[in-house]
Structure formats: structure tokens, C-alpha cells
Amino acid sequence: DGNAVQSFHAFNSSIAWISTANETTGTELWQTTDGGQTWAQVTTTVLEAAAKATSLPSCSHAQLSISLGGSGVGLGHNGEALLFTNVSQSGCTLYGYPGVAALDVAGAQILQATRTPLGYLGGLAEPSSLIPLVPLLPGQSASALVEGTDNPVGSGPNPPPCPVDSGLLVTAPNTTHSVHLPAGPALCSGLQIHPVVPGTSGDETG
């Protein structure tokens, strides 16, 4: 399309960024998350942060402390921010969705969270937004929001009671080690988990 590639940065086999020169619009910046099948244009700020992040390895479970952050409610929705803090002495990156499951009193999994880009209380800025690659320097935290609802689902004056969880089993993106956290959001209509974003609110917009 008249664009000449100026630079290329690959994070892994799926995620990469390129800088191109266009005769009309000047420098354009693009990201792929599917191995180059599709590309989406991004801003200079996004690419510069991503280029810096590509020099950092993916965070291992040994580098991370996982904990509950702030909570929020609104119109029957309730959510908890899951915090991922780099407790190591070196930088790393997080990308994608955590694994989240609700547990019963015996510690057995009763419900898996569904991966969604955003929900009523937070997540990505838009459904079509690119999932960010989040660099974490020592001591920094990123977050992902897990959401549920407390409105019973069912008809009639006595709808069935909502499932009750006694904790959450959480696995950081691209790791296999899970941690147990205290009870999370209500489970009346399942659970949603959104991607990891910068900051501690689990909401890309603020």
C-alpha cells in the first residue's frame, strides 16, 4: 500500500510491531497479535512503550506476587481487581488474560471465569482495543478485573440462589503456577475476567 517498513520489533511468534514510512501521512506504526495475519495502526506512544518492553522477558510466577486490589459495584455488578506485582530485581512483561476459577469450601473449582475484553466495571477501553503488553519494573504492579453479578437469575418470586464461592484460584498470564485468594465477586451470572492492563484498577480508562 505504498508503505516501506522502517523497523520491526517482535515480542513472540504472535505479537510484533512495525514502523512504516508513508509518502502522504509520514511514519505509521502497526501492531499484530495473530502472527501477522492482521495489523492494526497504533500511536507513537504505544509503539515506543512496546519497543522498550520487547527487550524484557515475560514475567515468571517466581517474579510475581498476586493479590486482591480494590473492589467496585454498580447496578448489580461487582468486581475485584487482581494485582500482579513484580517482586523480583529485574523487569518483565505481562500480556493477556489471567486464569481465574471460583472455588468451593473444599477448594474444588466450581466455575471458570469467561475471558472478555471489558465489562460493566472495567477492562479494555473498547471491545476492539488491542490487548496491551504491560512492562513491569521491580516493584511495579499491573491488574486485571474479575467481574460478577449479585442479581439472582430466574423467573418467579423465588429464583434459585446464586452459587457461593469461598475463594479464587488465579494464574498469571503465560504461567502455570496458581495462587488461592479470598472470595471474589458474586456468581449469580458467572464470572468474567478481563486482560491485564497497566495500573491497579483493572480498568484501562483510568
Side-chain angles (χ1 to χ4, degrees):
D1 297 329
N3 288 359
V5 175
Q6 294 178 314
S7 62
F8 174 81
H9 303 278
F11 175 59
N12 57 30
S13 61
S14 298
I15 307 163
W17 299 266
I18 58 173
S19 170
T20 65
N22 185 287
E23 294 180 358
T24 304
T25 60
T27 300
E28 295 180 351
L29 311 168
W30 303 80
Q31 181 187 36
T32 181
T33 58
D34 55 14
Q37 296 183 48
T38 59
W39 292 84
Q41 191 171 359
V42 295
T43 65
T44 303
T45 301
V46 169
L47 185 70
E48 288 175 348
K52 292 177 181 178
T54 57
S55 64
L56 299 175
S58 181
C59 295
S60 69
H61 75 267
Q63 292 179 280
L64 298 172
S65 171
I66 304 175
S67 60
L68 286 179
S71 59
V73 296
L75 294 178
H77 297 261
N78 52 85
E80 298 275 359
L82 306 176
L83 300 184
F84 302 90
T85 303
N86 184 353
V87 295
S88 74
Q89 299 301 309
S90 57
C92 59
T93 59
L94 283 176
Y95 176 85
Y97 291 85
V100 178
L103 306 174
D104 64 15
V105 292
Q109 297 185 30
I110 57 175
L111 185 66
Q112 291 282 340
T114 301
R115 295 179 174 187
T116 58
L118 77 168
Y120 186 81
L121 297 174
L124 299 183
E126 300 289 343
S128 59
S129 296
L130 294 171
I131 297 175
L133 176 67
V134 184
L136 286 182
L137 297 180
Q140 289 186 328
S141 297
S143 58
L145 194 69
V146 57
E147 290 195 47
T149 65
D150 56 15
N151 293 322
V153 177
S155 58
N158 298 304
C162 297
V164 177
D165 71 282
S166 295
L168 295 175
L169 187 68
V170 179
T171 309
N174 302 308
T175 68
T176 58
H177 181 81
S178 301
V179 300
H180 291 244
L181 298 180
L187 307 177
C188 292
S189 57
L191 282 178
Q192 296 181 32
I193 180 65
H194 310 318
V196 172
V197 297
T200 59
S201 68
D203 184 5
E204 192 177 39
T205 64

